[in-house]
Amino acid sequence: MFDGYDSCSEESTSSSSSDDSEDEVVPSIPASLPIIKNNGQVYTYPDGKAGMATCEMCGMVGVRDAFYSKTKRFCSVSCSRSYSSNSKKASILARLQGKPPTKKAKVLQKQPLVAKLAAYAQYQASQQNQAKSKAVVPAEIFDWGRYICSNNTVGAPVSCFKHAPMGTCWGGIAEGVRIEVLNSDTSLSTKVYWIAEIIKLAGFKALLRYEGFDNDTSKDFWSNLCIPEVHPVGWCASSGKPLVPPKSIQHKYSNWKAFLVKRLTGAKTLPPDFNSKVHENMQFPFKKLMRVEVVDKNYLCRTRVALVEQVIGGRLRLVYEESQDQSDDFWCHMFSPLIHNIGWSRSIGHRFKRSDVTKKIEGQADAPAQVFQKVKDVDQSGDWFKDGMKLEAIDPLNLSAICVATVRKVLADGYLMIGIDGSEAVDGSDWFCYHSTSPSIFPVGFCEINNIELTPPRGYTKLPFKWFDYLREMGSIAAPVKLFNKEVPNHGFRQGMKLEAVDLMEPRLVCVATVTRIVHRLLRIHFDGWEDEYDQWVDCESPDLYPVGWCQLTGYQLQPPASQSNREMPQSVPKQKKKAQQYKGQKKKRKIPVGRRPFSQAGRRRSSFSGDEEQSPPPYPAQGPTRPRPRTHLHQTHKSESLLRMKEEAAEVDEFTFSQGTSDQESNGSGSYYIKQEP
């Protein structure tokens, strides 16, 4: 595993000595950190000047750093000892004459041959490996490590993101784990490695410190643990790669092998199949030209056929089938509730726009139904959602708001068409499809109990808003609490954690973000550098949230935090359309589509669902969001329990008791909204 670190300065290897006759006895260490020898010997790669060398005994050509003696004259201990033997003269003469080494020399150098050949092969492939590694993981523009350290923050663990690569098999990777990484503190031109310890974790990224630096932080560095150049301890030995201590501390210890054995005995490392698991997790079932049904970004109430144009880290760039120049596109994750298999709309009774395309592109095929995210089966018999029932829902056109909403149509398989009260189009073109188990819809009273601002219907003047009065005025009833999804998983998120999040108003953008509030399974996501009005309420299991380092791992462009200068736009500068620049620049302005959008009302300005109306929308204005946010002055009660009883004279209504509970919870796993229904 350590490739035999007897010493970095082998002063006596050129002479025949009893010290060289036997390998140093290596203490026993756990099976998880095996020592791999070549033909019974542990091979040493002492530090030295780069280049090639030829053994003066056998004529073997190899990497100079892998040779023995201070002058790097011999390829092995055997050749060093044999230098003064009877074969010395014949071997040297043969080498000078360009002839193969003598028969005896071949026998003497046979034992470490595998190690020497591996070293030579490593030297030849070093340049190819460097080019390959650069191609796999692109250079990162935004420095997550510096950002986290300067703000003294933490990144959400990878285990919080079950849909992300390695999300379900991150295992025991934590601080203190040792890994083998490239040694950047070296003057060698060849690629060499050293062992480092994980000091701090933030998503996929880790703050690393080379072994031997102890409490010295001068050479600490951040690295993505899923890049090809990160390996479990023991990989170098099994792959024939050199382990070389950093130049800054190479003279700190005289016996590096003994030092490593002492430090690594009992230590944890990555699983031996870690790299293969990363590769496996980066394979996705969706392929280019697969046909799917996806929400129409211009008419939320219906779906359209789209083709998969691009797959990046599980995110899909979908181009609507009728698009002439592929500019009419939409981004979403493959597990998004907005995407379905062909035929889904007809099966549940959802509105669908038929495609006028008659000629299909060669190679396109319908995506198999099994690759889509499955929803929970529900029993719609008996006491179920009915048209006209009231509830609270996240506004799909303004994700910072939870609004008063109404069930407009009950579909099959548990799906509901929801409308936002006071903001609906006459033809229902902005109704949105939520599944009954969706974590984005809530029972009446959820916001009041959890101290969340509820957005009342637009134009409603009786403030502060009271559900009692509103239900009576509208002649409506509240949807039964028992019908809502009240399961709260132990998600692991904490307030203040950093992550990478999709701006769902412009779903092509993935931005630096922070969890600012947690209410059961609901997360409030803030985009760093932007005003709170751009925040989003999302579920803890949303496929649009990713660990720190996800963009670097998948090759997706990360949008850095916006500065004040970037957000401000001179009023005198006219807006101009720009050519498409995918994943580049700051966050774009949320803008409503012009022309075909049917639900634009007088005095009403709603944020766009897609943000893709222009090929490259202009930056956000400094004055804030485009849609005004009505504010409700909620009555705060100091009693430990508040009762909200809703009665309707025209229809029979259930009575509910809402018990006051803690509103900002990290993760209680209780599976309850603190709302219980009276018998």
Side-chain angles (χ1 to χ4, degrees):
M1 176 179 62
F2 317 121
D3 279 355
Y5 256 104
D6 294 314
S7 175
C8 269
S9 56
E10 302 191 5
E11 300 177 355
S12 59
T13 53
S14 60
S15 61
S16 179
S17 170
S18 61
D19 294 338
D20 293 328
S21 62
E22 296 293 335
D23 290 333
E24 180 174 319
V25 178
V26 180
S28 60
I29 61 176
S32 60
L33 301 175
I35 292 181
I36 300 178
K37 299 181 179 181
N38 290 310
N39 295 323
Q41 287 192 357
V42 181
Y43 194 60
T44 304
Y45 291 87
D47 192 17
K49 294 183 178 179
M52 304 300 293
T54 304
C55 180
E56 294 187 9
M57 180 62 204
C58 67
M60 181 71 176
V61 179
V63 181
R64 180 180 297 275
D65 301 326
F67 274 47
Y68 281 71
S69 83
K70 295 175 65 175
T71 56
K72 309 300 180 188
R73 298 167 60 193
F74 308 104
C75 66
S76 67
V77 176
S78 299
C79 286
S80 176
R81 293 200 199 105
S82 301
Y83 185 69
S84 58
S85 67
N86 294 333
S87 61
K88 170 184 172 183
K89 183 176 179 180
S91 296
I92 295 176
L93 182 62
R95 179 181 63 81
L96 294 176
Q97 294 176 350
K99 297 178 181 179
T102 64
K103 183 177 181 180
K104 184 175 182 180
K106 286 184 180 181
V107 174
L108 291 173
Q109 58 87 34
K110 182 178 180 181
Q111 194 172 21
L113 177 61
V114 175
K116 289 187 291 186
L117 291 176
Y120 186 51
Q122 178 269 332
Y123 176 80
Q124 289 181 317
S126 61
Q127 298 300 324
Q128 297 178 1
N129 290 341
Q130 287 178 350
K132 184 178 180 180
S133 64
K134 290 180 180 178
V136 172
V137 179
E140 188 176 28
I141 299 175
F142 175 70
D143 190 345
W144 258 120
R146 180 180 299 178
Y147 187 69
I148 288 176
C149 290
S150 61
N151 292 280
N152 194 26
T153 55
V154 297
V158 174
S159 56
C160 292
F161 309 87
K162 304 302 182 187
H163 59 280
M166 303 298 291
T168 58
C169 51
W170 195 243
I173 300 177
E175 297 176 4
V177 168
R178 265 67 166 199
I179 57 178
E180 291 181 353
V181 294
L182 280 175
N183 181 3
S184 59
D185 182 19
T186 179
S187 58
L188 302 176
S189 60
T190 57
K191 184 185 294 185
V192 294
Y193 295 79
W194 191 241
I195 296 173
E197 177 184 359
I198 298 177
I199 303 300
K200 184 175 182 178
L201 270 176
F204 289 120
K205 306 204 66 122
L207 180 63
L208 302 176
R209 182 176 302 165
Y210 290 123
E211 283 293 346
F213 277 90
D214 299 328
N215 295 324
D216 183 1
T217 63
S218 60
K219 295 296 182 179
D220 288 2
F221 62 100
W222 285 86
S223 175
N224 194 311
L225 294 181
C226 293
I227 64 174
E229 296 300 345
V230 172
H231 304 280
V233 173
W235 176 84
C236 282
S238 62
S239 304
K241 306 296 183 182
L243 275 175
V244 177
K247 180 175 61 176
S248 303
I249 58 170
Q250 62 182 353
H251 300 299
K252 188 174 181 180
Y253 298 97
S254 59
N255 192 329
W256 280 102
K257 185 180 74 173
F259 167 79
L260 290 179
V261 170
K262 181 178 179 180
R263 290 296 300 267
L264 299 181
T265 300
K268 292 183 178 180
T269 188
L270 301 177
D273 59 345
F274 182 78
N275 297 86
S276 61
K277 280 188 176 180
V278 172
H279 177 75
E280 180 183 332
N281 275 254
M282 292 295 290
Q283 308 303 310
F284 307 102
F286 283 89
K287 306 300 178 185
K288 187 174 180 178
L289 296 183
M290 280 188 173
R291 298 173 76 242
V292 300
E293 287 186 12
V294 67
V295 67
D296 188 338
K297 64 183 181 182
N298 294 318
Y299 292 85
L300 304 187
C301 66
R302 70 185 184 188
T303 57
R304 296 172 61 183
V305 173
L307 298 177
V308 176
E309 178 63 26
Q310 199 173 4
V311 183
I312 303 180
R315 301 206 77 227
L316 311 177
R317 177 175 176 258
L318 304 173
V319 177
Y320 292 112
E321 195 171 47
E322 294 176 306
S323 176
Q324 300 297 324
D325 56 358
Q326 294 194 342
S327 62
D328 192 10
D329 62 355
F330 182 77
W331 281 93
C332 68
H333 193 272
M334 63 181 183
F335 293 153
S336 171
L338 305 177
I339 184 175
H340 308 278
N341 59 289
I342 298 295
W344 172 83
S345 296
R346 169 183 280 186
S347 67
I348 70 163
H350 193 281
R351 290 179 62 178
F352 175 76
K353 180 186 178 183
R354 293 184 178 275
S355 175
D356 296 331
V357 176
T358 55
K359 185 178 180 181
K360 291 187 177 182
I361 304 175
E362 183 179 356
Q364 73 180 45
D366 295 352
Q370 59 267 23
V371 302
F372 295 88
Q373 188 76 342
K374 301 296 186 294
V375 295
K376 186 181 297 185
D377 293 332
V378 295
D379 182 9
Q380 295 187 219
S381 61
D383 193 10
W384 187 244
F385 289 98
K386 295 181 175 58
D387 294 358
M389 282 184 172
K390 300 292 182 182
L391 68 163
E392 298 174 4
I394 297 177
D395 185 351
L397 295 179
N398 182 11
L399 296 165
S400 66
I402 299 179
C403 306
V404 175
T406 304
V407 177
R408 292 304 180 188
K409 187 178 181 182
V410 178
L411 308 178
D413 296 342
Y415 288 95
L416 310 169
M417 297 303 295
I418 305 295
I420 303 299
D421 285 20
S423 301
E424 298 177 65
V426 176
D427 59 355
S429 56
D430 58 351
W431 293 353
F432 193 74
C433 185
Y434 280 120
H435 194 263
S436 59
T437 60
S438 170
S440 298
I441 59 175
F442 318 96
V444 165
F446 173 82
C447 285
E448 182 178 7
I449 289 171
N450 293 286
N451 195 25
I452 299 175
E453 181 182 357
L454 176 67
T455 302
R458 186 170 180 82
Y460 190 76
T461 57
K462 294 182 179 180
L463 302 178
F465 178 82
K466 295 292 184 182
W467 268 113
F468 298 110
D469 300 333
Y470 185 69
L471 289 172
R472 187 176 297 109
E473 292 171 12
M474 302 302 295
S476 303
I477 61 174
V481 176
K482 64 182 180 180
L483 299 180
F484 293 85
N485 178 14
K486 296 180 285 295
E487 180 184 355
V488 182
N490 188 16
H491 47 71
F493 286 102
R494 300 291 183 268
Q495 188 172 325
M497 282 183 171
K498 297 292 183 181
L499 69 164
E500 298 175 2
V502 176
D503 179 359
L504 293 171
M505 291 296 98
E506 291 187 24
R508 71 180 115 176
L509 301 180
V510 178
C511 313
V512 173
T514 307
V515 178
T516 57
R517 194 176 175 196
I518 302 173
V519 182
H520 305 289
R521 64 180 299 150
L522 200 61
L523 308 180
R524 181 84 171 181
I525 301 299
H526 174 76
F527 296 106
D528 290 15
W530 294 94
E531 293 82 0
D532 295 343
E533 285 81 358
Y534 295 106
D535 289 1
Q536 295 178 168
W537 286 110
V538 298
D539 182 58
C540 64
E541 296 181 344
S542 169
D544 296 304
L545 303 178
Y546 309 105
V548 168
W550 178 87
C551 282
Q552 182 194 19
L553 175 63
T554 60
Y556 208 99
Q557 178 64 53
L558 177 66
Q559 303 297 317
S563 61
Q564 185 65 28
S565 59
N566 290 334
R567 294 199 304 267
E568 292 177 351
M569 290 180 58
Q571 298 297 325
S572 59
V573 178
K575 297 178 181 178
Q576 297 179 353
K577 289 188 176 182
K578 302 177 183 179
K579 293 183 179 180
Q581 295 181 356
Q582 217 152 26
Y583 308 119
K584 294 185 179 180
Q586 296 293 331
K587 292 178 67 179
K588 314 300 186 202
K589 178 180 178 182
R590 301 168 185 172
K591 184 178 178 184
I592 191 168
V594 184
R596 294 189 300 164
R597 195 69 178 256
F599 45 83
S600 176
Q601 300 176 4
R604 177 187 176 205
R605 300 169 67 190
R606 297 193 73 175
S607 300
S608 165
F609 181 69
S610 66
D612 294 340
E613 296 74 33
E614 296 183 359
Q615 291 183 349
S616 182
Y620 282 139
Q623 62 266 25
T626 58
R627 177 183 178 183
R629 301 175 62 212
R631 296 187 176 272
T632 305
H633 302 285
L634 296 177
H635 175 68
Q636 303 296 333
T637 176
H638 298 285
K639 297 181 179 180
S640 60
E641 189 177 63
S642 62
L643 299 180
L644 176 59
R645 300 182 180 276
M646 286 163 255
K647 297 182 179 180
E648 174 56 43
E649 297 177 359
E652 186 176 347
V653 188
D654 291 333
E655 293 186 357
F656 306 98
T657 300
F658 293 78
S659 301
Q660 187 71 30
T662 305
S663 56
D664 287 355
Q665 298 183 17
E666 293 178 342
S667 177
N668 58 10
S670 62
S672 171
Y673 280 126
Y674 291 96
I675 303 174
K676 58 183 180 180
Q677 184 173 353
E678 288 186 345

